[in-house]
Amino acid sequence: MIIVQDTFICKPGNASKLAKLFKEIMNDRPEHLNILTGISGEFNKVIMLSKYESITAYEHSYDEYMQDSEEVKRIKEKMKGYHDMYFTGSREIYQVW
């Protein structure tokens, strides 16, 4: 199993907005684990955690987002403008032992 951690450093006032948006979008996805906001450490941080059975399963899920399905269209519509909410982001992938 792998855990994917997407981390975003938001512009001031946008961390909770981005967290709520991710929660709304990812809530029905089976790979979704949690949306986290920092209580200590770097300010305005949002972390999205997802789990997959393997790297191959993660890649397959990523490929699904490149499709032109109704679900993807709905997600893209809701996510419009989310890039304006953060400064930078990163992705880390961990193997679970």
Side-chain angles (χ1 to χ4, degrees), residues 11-82:
K11 295 177 180 176
N14 285 293
S16 61
K17 293 176 190 174
L18 188 62
K20 287 176 186 175
L21 179 61
F22 284 152
K23 178 108 174 127
E24 181 182 339
I25 297 300
M26 296 298 291
N27 207 32
D28 296 333
R29 303 289 303 176
E31 68 273 10
H32 169 70
L33 286 177
N34 289 302
I35 306 297
L36 312 171
T37 55
I39 294 176
S40 65
E42 193 165 4
F43 295 125
N44 303 309
K45 185 186 288 188
V46 176
I47 299 172
M48 180 171 52
L49 295 176
S50 303
K51 71 175 178 176
Y52 299 87
E53 287 301 315
S54 64
I55 287 286
T56 304
Y58 168 70
E59 290 172 338
H60 178 71
S61 175
Y62 195 82
D63 288 342
E64 286 179 3
Y65 285 113
M66 298 300 123
Q67 305 287 323
D68 201 26
S69 70
E70 290 303 314
E71 179 184 5
V72 171
K73 287 179 184 176
R74 179 185 63 82
I75 290 171
K76 286 181 179 180
E77 183 61 32
K78 285 190 176 191
M79 296 296 289
K80 258 187 190 168
Y82 88 101

